[in-house]
């Protein structure tokens, strides 16, 4: 990425002194943890997990790998600052939706197009079986985050208005509602109600970002209280109730997950994680005043969605190469396996760097492009409809995958059985609606 260095250097030098650099750092740090965490999980299940997923020490280690709450937290912070600015200058709901989606969607669309073509070719040729079928099925799984996040973008202006009127009580209401969902889900066995927590849990974490954007979470002692309280309650829930597993990430071998859909244990874990992040803010911000680390953060943020989209592709390429040459990694949990971990991460990083170099342009170009067209009523309605369709389509394709797409294979998504092609149609229609241009004004008629 050396060709980006002059631009990165210029951005480093022009960064305003008042910018909250820690928000950008958290975003890059979290994506790094997600990428490496998924690579380690792939290695764990590649040759059998050896039972290590049932070891308490390994289960507690997943508490450090579960960083998705940080994404929603910093997203809430960014949305809070953006919406406050829009309120001051009289911006519109449609303008907010288009600005938020314009950076997120382009790299996802490129990723889906490439994998759609690959999946169609593999299925037509009859090669979609075994490990290849697993890859086409699971490569879209991380996109669930984008689907849920875009739905929160749709709700963000209304939730921000609620925040301005009621402050932290909004988080309390959302948390109580999530607790009620879990009581019905686990206490009465009505598993279908768990879908409501896809919004309630992540909206509560997102709402904490609004509080941080107002400076309310920087009060002395509050980060430490959140860290101790959140992680302490999580320990009670996971070790004492029998409802919540200690594992904070989902594994194919585990029948119950705190993640899919999220529950109260994930919410309290998120609160504890946010508290810890805020405790480290001061020393990390001092470190980010140096040009090199801040330049690395800027570079990471410039390709963050591209990294997120392609990191599983990288690990599948490595797995394919191992299968091609008849190589198997050491059994999970052994000393040789632990020694192999650094090499595994390096092997996965090489194709990911190449993939990012190949597919980074849509994300970086969208970051430089601004939509200067007026957002009238027609474009506002189109933006709402388009973002809704795109969000739902992305979430569905994350659950269904792309294997068996041409044959119309369906998979259960919450309470519905849906095919991948329907999700792809929704994403395509949503993208077209979001790109709807303002109607041209008719030329003046000379008198």
């Amino acid at each position: 990425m050396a060709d980006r260095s002059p631009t990165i250097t210029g951005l480093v030098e022009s960064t305003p002194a008042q910018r909250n650099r820690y928000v950008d750092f958290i975003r890059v740090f979290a994506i790094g943890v997600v990428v490496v965490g998924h690579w380690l999980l792939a290695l764990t299940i590649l040759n059998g997990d050896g039972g290590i997923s049932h070891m308490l020490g390994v289960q507690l280690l997943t508490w450090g790998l579960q960083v998705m709450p940080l994404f929603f937290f910093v997203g809430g912070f960014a949305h809070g600052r953006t919406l406050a600015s829009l309120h001051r200058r009289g911006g519109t709901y449609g303008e907010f939706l288009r600005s938020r989606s314009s950076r997120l969607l382009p790299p996802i669309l490129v990723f889906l197009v490439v994998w759609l073509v690959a999946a169609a070719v593999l299925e037509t040729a009859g090669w979609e079986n075994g490990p290849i079928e697993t890859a086409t099925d699971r490569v879209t799984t991380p996109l669930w985050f984008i689907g849920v996040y875009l739905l929160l973008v749709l709700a963000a202006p209304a939730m921000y208005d609620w925040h301005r009127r009621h402050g932290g009580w909004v988080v309390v209401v959302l948390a109580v509602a999530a607790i009620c969902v879990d009581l019905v889900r686990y206490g009465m066995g009505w598993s279908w109600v768990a879908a409501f927590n896809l919004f309630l849990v992540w909206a509560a974490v997102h709402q904490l970002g609004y509080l941080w954007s107002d400076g309310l979470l920087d009060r002395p002692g509050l980060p430490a209280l959140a860290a101790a309280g959140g992680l302490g309650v999580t320990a009670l829930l996971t070790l004492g109730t029998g409802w919540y597993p200690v594992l904070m990430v989902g594994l194919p071998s585990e029948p119950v997950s705190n993640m899919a859909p999220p529950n109260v244990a994930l919410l309290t874990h998120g609160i504890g994680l946010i508290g810890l992040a805020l405790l480290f803010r001061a020393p990390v911000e001092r470190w980010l005043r140096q040009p090199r680390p801040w330049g690395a953060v800027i570079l990471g943020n410039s390709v963050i969605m591209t990294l997120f989209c392609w990191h599983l592709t990288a690990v599948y390429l490595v797995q394919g190469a191992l299968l091609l040459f008849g190589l198997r990694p050491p059994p999970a949990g052994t000393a040789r396996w632990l020694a192999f971990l650094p090499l595994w991460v390096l092997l996965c990083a090489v194709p990911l760097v190449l993939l990012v170099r190949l597919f980074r342009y849509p994300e970086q170009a969208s970051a430089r492009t601004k939509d200067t067209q007026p957002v009238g009523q027609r474009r506002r309605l189109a933006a709402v409809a388009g973002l809704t369709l795109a969000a739902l389509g992305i979430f569905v394709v994350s659950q269904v995958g792309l294997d068996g797409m041409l044959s119309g294979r369906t998979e259960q998504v919450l309470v519905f059985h849906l095919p991948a092609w329907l999700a792809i149609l929704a994403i395509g229609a949503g993208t077209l609606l979001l790109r709807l241009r303002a109607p041209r004004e008719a030329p003046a008629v000379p008198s």
Side-chain angles (χ1 to χ4, degrees), residues 17 23 25 34 52 83 87 107 226 256 331 441:
V23 170
F25 169 79
V34 167
I52 65 172
L83 289 166
H87 276 289
V256 182
E441 294 184 4

Side-chain angles (χ1 to χ4, degrees), residues 39-251:
W39 290 348
L40 295 182
L41 288 175
L43 179 61
T44 301
I45 64 178
L46 183 60
N47 198 22
D49 66 13
I52 65 172
S53 63
H54 299 287
M55 300 177 184
L56 182 60
V58 173
Q59 292 175 340
L60 292 176
L61 180 64
T62 64
W63 288 30
L65 296 176
Q66 181 49 268
V67 294
M68 294 310 298
L70 292 178
F71 282 106
F72 289 97
F73 177 59
V74 298
F77 177 93
H79 292 162
R81 291 292 175 89
T82 300
L83 289 166
S85 174
L86 283 175
H87 276 289
R88 286 193 297 270
R89 61 183 179 82
T92 65
Y93 180 45
E95 182 181 349
F96 173 76
L97 296 185
R98 290 178 181 278
S99 67
R100 293 293 94 186
S101 62
S102 62
R103 177 78 183 273
L104 292 172
L105 288 179
I108 295 171
L109 294 174
V110 171
F111 166 77
L112 286 175
V113 167
V114 172
W115 266 100
L116 276 171
V117 173
V121 170
L122 291 169
E123 187 176 353
T124 302
W127 298 336
E128 194 185 48
N129 51 64
I132 292 178
E133 184 179 9
T134 300
T136 53
D137 179 40
R138 297 180 183 172
V139 74
T140 60
T141 300
L143 296 183
W144 72 264
F145 158 66
I146 304 300
V148 174
Y149 189 83
L150 289 176
L151 291 177
L152 284 177
V153 169
L154 281 163
M159 299 299 288
Y160 182 70
D161 289 340
W162 199 12
H163 160 76
R164 292 205 302 170
R165 290 194 298 269
H166 303 290
W169 286 107
V170 181
V171 180
V172 174
V173 169
L174 292 169
V176 169
I179 291 171
C180 292
V181 169
D182 274 12
L183 289 173
V184 175
R185 174 186 182 183
Y186 297 114
M188 300 177 65
W190 294 4
S191 58
W192 60 270
V193 303
F196 290 104
N197 272 351
L198 274 171
F199 178 81
L200 294 172
V201 168
W202 295 124
V205 177
H206 185 268
Q207 211 73 16
L208 289 171
Y210 287 158
L211 293 172
W212 190 28
S213 71
D214 287 348
L216 299 176
L217 298 187
D218 293 323
R219 294 174 179 176
L222 194 56
L225 179 62
L231 296 178
V233 172
T234 305
L236 290 175
L237 291 174
T238 55
L239 299 174
T241 65
W243 284 0
Y244 306 98
V246 180
L247 276 170
M248 279 295 158
V249 298
L251 288 175

Side-chain angles (χ1 to χ4, degrees), residues 369-383:
T369 304
K370 295 187 180 297
D371 186 355
T372 57
Q373 285 198 305
V375 183
Q377 180 68 14
R378 180 186 173 192
R379 292 192 83 210
R380 186 158 49 247
L381 292 174

